[in-house]
Amino acid sequence: MENGDSKVRIGFYVCHCGTNIAHTVDVASVAKYAAGLPGVVVARDYKYMCSDPGQDLIGEDIREHGLNRIVVAACSPCLHEATFRTATARAGLNPFFCHLVNIREHASWVHTDRAAATEKVQDLVRAACGRVRHHKALERKRVTVRPEVLIVGGGIAGIQAALTIAESGKKVYLVEREPTIGGHMAMFDKTFPTLDCAACILTPKMSQVKAHPNITLWTYSEVMGVEGFVGNFKVKVRRKPRYVNEEVCVGCMECIEACMYKQPKFDDEFNQRLGKRKPVYIPFPQATPKVVLIDPETCLHFKTGKCKQPCIASCSRNAFDFNAEEKIEDVEVGAIIVATGFKPFDPARSPKYGYGHFPNVYTSLEVERLVNASGPTGGEIVMRDGRKPKSVGIVHCVGSRNLQTNRWCSKVCCMYSLKLAHLIKEHAGAEVYNFYIDMRTPGKGYEEFYNQLLEEGVHFVRGKVAEVTDWAMTPEEEGKLVMRVEDTLAGFVRRIPVDMVVLSVGLEPREDSQEVRRMFNISCSSEGFFLERHPKLAPVDTATDGVYLAGACQGPKDIPDSVAQAGAAAAQAMALIDKGYIEMEPNTAFIEEKECSGCKSCIPLCPYTAISFNEATVKAVINEALCKGCGTCVAACPSGSIKQNLFEDVEIFSEIEEVLANA
Amino acid sequence: MPETFEPRIVAFFCNWCTYTAADLAGVSRMRYAPNVRIIRLMCSGRVDPQFILEAFARGADGVLIGGCHPNDCHYIEGNYKCLRRFRLLRRMLDDMGVEEKRCRLEWISASEGDKVKKVINEMVEQVRALGPLDLPGRFRDWDKEVAALEHAAPGASEPCDAHAHAHKEEATHA
């Protein structure tokens, strides 16, 4: 092995990370080992390298010992690479002369054998010291960031983020798939624990969105594709036809009155199919935008072509356009906030609760509509058979905390079950039984709300419901739904007959979350919710720069949490766009023109079309602004004339050589 | 074969999925065998087949490549490029006598910390069962054979390219 460039002067630092690393890795011996490696001038171990004194240590050594390479063995580069690069730069050395060795996530936290872990760390340190000698001074390139933000999803999270950004004077495109914004929150009656009405606190915000000069609201629209990268995303949005001109319609609803169908006949999606609507409809009275739309699946004109079209005649503003086609809008934005929300668990997947089998078994969302004054029953709790329930059983954790369905706790169900218990008691005066596994009420005022319910005389039974059945064993059970449950506090199995069963369904990722994830180039956690960059320190960022998360698409969340997270996502997006530029990692590829044979192998490999062919010089050319630094072309170049900054062949080969050098 | 043979495995993990999954395994305090040395690349598409050959030539007993699942690549399709190269290289490794289980390509997403643990533990056991690869040793043996042949037949034809290459390889390792 060559003895190293005598000009290379490496400073090596190994972090104890308190005891996180030092517990499993003999840091003192690693430092001693590194001191003997070629080119290493200083080798130290320190309790917390990322602390200010730890970082200062690097700077002092650079000045005192004339170091020109820094190797820090600590945590994952995903966490502290930037920290140590900055510390290096502060001392006047190019930050890309610093290299981080991951000995916490990849060694001390995953191994128990101290000797083996220490040996592994020594190998990794040797590899790093081998690679840094080939490092070069690099400059970050600046890319301008467009000042517009795209927000996908118009639930409470999307609304909050849109308003926050729009208020700062930046332009927002808010895209919502449904005909109205408002999301799930618009379906709720009251909100826990304060019991303020959801519509009263949400609809003013919805109107604000519609009226805000900085917000372009596209409802009944979907993002079709996203190209580009942080600061410069090109987004295609498909706007489905409403067959009613959104700009002209004022939402007078005369056309709904005039429709050929005199009675509403079709299932009303907004009311969870508990009510009916006409083919021309408005989802709910406060829908935003307040514009009717025609459902071509049920409209007589679209189905048969033989309708007298009284709707058109009734419209004084000529808003109807039966020939409307979908429109594609192209927009360019600097940042994207994904706030696509959740899907309620489908209780048909847990057949023991009898949903879909017994008409009087409801989901919690259906009951939200039943207790809502603008719902299908005008706020009266009337069951599918027309009766009013005298007793109601609420089953917690339906679909949640169950290895057969979803493993996670959906976080909001305990609280909304308490709320529904309160509302059912208030509206119907019924006896209400809550069947719970554990009551989970952490949050401001939440435990107090639980105590309030206990005092209101709602029954609480601790136990998982085994089955809902109509098989009566006693005369009292005739005509009732019987909840079979082991009461784990009383210590015996009970049969509790009720008129109505409410299933507190959990929160799931949306069905198309995988497609959405791919479109925005973000990851999902194992359960399918979108993955944040760091669970604690970057909870709204994603692995893709410029794409942020808000609301329940990232995990089950209640309204206060969604709103708070939306604010955080808005702040992150604003921090990005307000600065106006971003500095990119300089890990781009470049061509050594002398070596290039002009074979064109690399050109079709680049997914970003960053490589072109210069016919005059007969050489390939890489456009640095388009290169994202994957290195695929580098690996393919037969003449080795393409190089990738920070991942040059010589750097990786020396890593391979050194990591195996202790044979 | 030494009694306590500990396989040495070099891993090339893509930054966005598999490297992050290995970080997750760490954060989740999953325990796995300490035989793997991870080298971070931005994308599995950066894995030059020469990296794999170099690792074996330098004495690795196994090489593990980790990338994003198909359709999940941070760079759209780098993992497909990696797969294509891997398939081609596989044939060459077969000819060289490098067993299938010594070189593995795995799709591990950022959320699959447990898969990192599973794959590493499994591979370490499989390679341990296979024993040392010792390609540098084999290079030496082959060179000796070639030298012996040359010696036995002086003035015979020049050694073919493969031999010359092996010779060169050996020289770099000396």
Side-chain angles (χ1 to χ4, degrees), chain A residues 7 9 134 166 174 337 458 495 535 604 648:
Chain A
K7 282 177 275 179
R9 298 176 64 80
H134 303 290
L174 178 59
I337 296 176
V458 172
R495 291 175 63 88
E648 285 198 33

Side-chain angles (χ1 to χ4, degrees), chain A residues 31 177 256 270 409:
Chain A
R177 174 183 289 170
I256 302 179
F270 187 83
C409 167

Side-chain angles (χ1 to χ4, degrees), chain A residues 259-518:
Chain A
C259 180
M260 283 302 277
Y261 286 100
K262 285 300 155 221
Q263 291 301 320
K265 198 181 161 196
F266 305 101
D267 279 344
D268 180 353
E269 297 86 356
F270 187 83
N271 278 327
Q272 302 298 303
R273 303 181 180 277
L274 293 171
K276 301 286 181 198
R277 61 160 172 82
K278 293 184 181 180
V280 54
Y281 69 106
I282 199 159
F284 66 105
Q286 298 101 327
T288 306
K290 198 173 181 199
V291 173
V292 298
L293 74 156
I294 290 174
D295 170 17
E297 296 297 312
T298 51
C299 173
L300 219 52
H301 167 77
F302 284 97
K303 289 196 54 153
T304 64
K306 290 181 198 149
C307 180
K308 282 188 237 156
Q309 301 177 342
C311 49
I312 295 184
S314 74
C315 183
S316 55
R317 295 177 61 88
N318 275 331
F320 282 89
D321 177 9
F322 280 127
N323 298 319
E325 283 177 7
E326 69 172 31
K327 266 197 289 191
I328 307 293
E329 306 265 5
D330 289 292
V331 287
E332 290 184 37
V333 297
I336 297 174
I337 296 176
V338 180
T340 50
F342 67 93
K343 174 173 92 73
F345 173 79
D346 174 10
R349 281 170 63 198
S350 290
K352 61 184 178 178
Y353 299 125
Y355 182 78
H357 182 64
F358 302 121
N360 293 340
V361 178
Y362 287 81
T363 68
S364 43
L365 202 51
E366 287 169 344
V367 178
E368 292 281 359
R369 295 313 300 155
L370 284 184
V371 293
N372 193 303
S374 65
T377 55
E380 278 210 62
I381 303 180
V382 183
M383 297 190 297
R384 289 192 176 96
D385 61 9
R387 290 187 298 143
K388 284 187 181 178
K390 293 197 176 60
S391 51
V392 178
I394 301 179
V395 185
H396 291 220
C397 297
V398 173
S400 310
R401 305 182 70 199
N402 187 331
L403 292 178
Q404 270 141 19
T405 49
N406 297 329
R407 292 169 54 161
W408 57 90
C409 167
S410 294
K411 200 173 174 183
V412 295
C413 321
C414 278
M415 282 307 293
Y416 80 58
S417 299
L418 293 176
K419 172 192 76 182
L420 289 177
H422 172 89
L423 294 176
I424 291 169
K425 218 168 161 60
E426 188 180 79
H427 285 240
E431 286 297 315
V432 183
Y433 299 87
N434 272 270
F435 300 92
Y436 66 99
I437 309 175
D438 299 289
M439 283 305 297
R440 296 191 167 177
T441 57
K444 198 173 180 180
Y446 290 9
E447 183 71 8
E448 291 89 328
F449 187 67
Y450 175 34
N451 286 328
Q452 180 191 331
L453 265 284
L454 287 169
E455 282 165 21
E456 282 175 12
V458 172
H459 306 284
F460 287 87
V461 179
R462 199 187 80 170
K464 229 173 155 172
V465 174
E467 172 182 47
V468 173
T469 175
D470 60 351
W471 187 23
M473 289 173 74
T474 59
E476 299 88 74
E477 291 179 0
E478 284 305 335
K480 302 254 186 186
L481 293 169
V482 181
M483 325 273 298
R484 283 212 312 128
V485 59
E486 182 188 357
D487 187 330
T488 57
L489 291 179
F492 60 92
V493 175
R494 295 172 71 176
R495 291 175 63 88
I496 299 175
V498 294
D499 293 322
M500 180 186 190
V501 174
V502 181
L503 303 179
S504 296
V505 289
L507 275 52
E508 282 185 341
R510 281 192 173 270
E511 276 142 338
D512 59 352
S513 62
Q514 292 295 327
E515 288 98 86
V516 173
R517 166 176 85 80
R518 293 209 170 102

Side-chain angles (χ1 to χ4, degrees), chain A residues 114-342:
Chain A
R114 195 171 160 86
T118 306
E119 194 193 320
K120 173 171 172 176
V121 168
Q122 286 175 350
D123 286 350
L124 294 173
V125 165
R126 202 173 52 239
C129 291
R131 129 192 268 283
V132 281
R133 64 178 62 245
H134 303 290
H135 277 210
K136 290 177 187 153
L138 298 170
E139 295 298 326
R140 288 193 176 94
K141 65 169 189 279
R142 279 188 179 190
V143 175
T144 49
V145 171
R146 295 191 62 95
E148 303 89 352
V149 180
L150 169 77
I151 298 177
V152 190
I156 181 60
I159 289 172
Q160 180 71 21
L163 286 173
T164 309
I165 295 169
E167 277 299 295
S168 81
K170 305 288 183 195
K171 195 153 174 37
V172 174
Y173 296 97
L174 178 59
V175 177
E176 166 59 48
R177 174 183 289 170
E178 299 296 326
T180 171
I181 54 170
H184 281 103
M185 185 174 170
M187 298 175 185
F188 301 159
D189 180 43
K190 299 269 166 51
T191 55
F192 62 76
T194 46
L195 294 174
D196 33 7
C197 118
C200 313
I201 55 177
L202 178 65
T203 49
K205 277 185 180 288
M206 289 162 62
S207 318
Q208 247 179 300
V209 165
K210 176 70 189 139
H212 207 293
N214 287 337
I215 300 179
T216 304
L217 174 61
W218 285 330
T219 54
Y220 213 42
S221 305
E222 284 180 34
V223 177
M224 284 167 70
V226 180
E227 280 176 21
F229 52 94
V230 54
N232 298 275
F233 293 106
K234 290 186 175 62
V235 184
K236 255 191 196 337
V237 179
R238 174 175 41 225
R239 305 192 61 199
K240 292 177 273 184
R242 289 169 179 265
Y243 305 105
V244 172
N245 188 334
E246 218 174 286
E247 312 301 320
V248 179
C249 174
V250 287
C252 69
M253 303 199 278
E254 292 288 334
C255 49
I256 302 179
E257 200 60 40
C259 180
M260 283 302 277
Y261 286 100
K262 285 300 155 221
Q263 291 301 320
K265 198 181 161 196
F266 305 101
D267 279 344
D268 180 353
E269 297 86 356
F270 187 83
N271 278 327
Q272 302 298 303
R273 303 181 180 277
L274 293 171
K276 301 286 181 198
R277 61 160 172 82
K278 293 184 181 180
V280 54
Y281 69 106
I282 199 159
F284 66 105
Q286 298 101 327
T288 306
K290 198 173 181 199
V291 173
V292 298
L293 74 156
I294 290 174
D295 170 17
E297 296 297 312
T298 51
C299 173
L300 219 52
H301 167 77
F302 284 97
K303 289 196 54 153
T304 64
K306 290 181 198 149
C307 180
K308 282 188 237 156
Q309 301 177 342
C311 49
I312 295 184
S314 74
C315 183
S316 55
R317 295 177 61 88
N318 275 331
F320 282 89
D321 177 9
F322 280 127
N323 298 319
E325 283 177 7
E326 69 172 31
K327 266 197 289 191
I328 307 293
E329 306 265 5
D330 289 292
V331 287
E332 290 184 37
V333 297
I336 297 174
I337 296 176
V338 180
T340 50
F342 67 93

Side-chain angles (χ1 to χ4, degrees), chain B residues 31-118:
Chain B
R31 305 293 178 188
Y32 58 79
N35 305 54
V36 176
R37 310 286 184 261
I38 297 168
I39 293 176
R40 172 177 172 232
L41 299 172
M42 292 314 283
C43 178
S44 56
R46 177 70 183 93
V47 179
D48 189 326
Q50 290 183 82
F51 295 169
I52 302 167
L53 292 171
E54 179 77 4
F56 282 127
R58 296 275 176 193
D61 300 299
V63 173
L64 171 63
I65 304 141
C68 308
H69 284 269
N71 273 329
D72 282 6
C73 178
H74 190 81
Y75 301 103
I76 306 173
E77 51 192 19
N79 51 357
Y80 288 111
K81 307 289 165 27
C82 178
L83 176 64
R84 288 190 336 206
R85 290 174 193 144
F86 181 79
R87 291 253 169 94
L88 289 171
L89 181 72
R90 194 55 264 169
R91 293 194 211 163
M92 220 170 121
L93 292 176
D94 289 341
D95 291 346
M96 288 167 68
V98 177
E99 295 90 340
E100 199 184 334
K101 296 208 159 84
R102 290 192 191 271
C103 189
R104 207 162 149 170
L105 172 62
E106 286 289 340
W107 308 135
I108 304 176
S109 80
S111 61
E112 293 177 316
D114 54 338
K115 192 168 176 189
V116 170
K117 172 187 166 177
K118 195 182 133 250

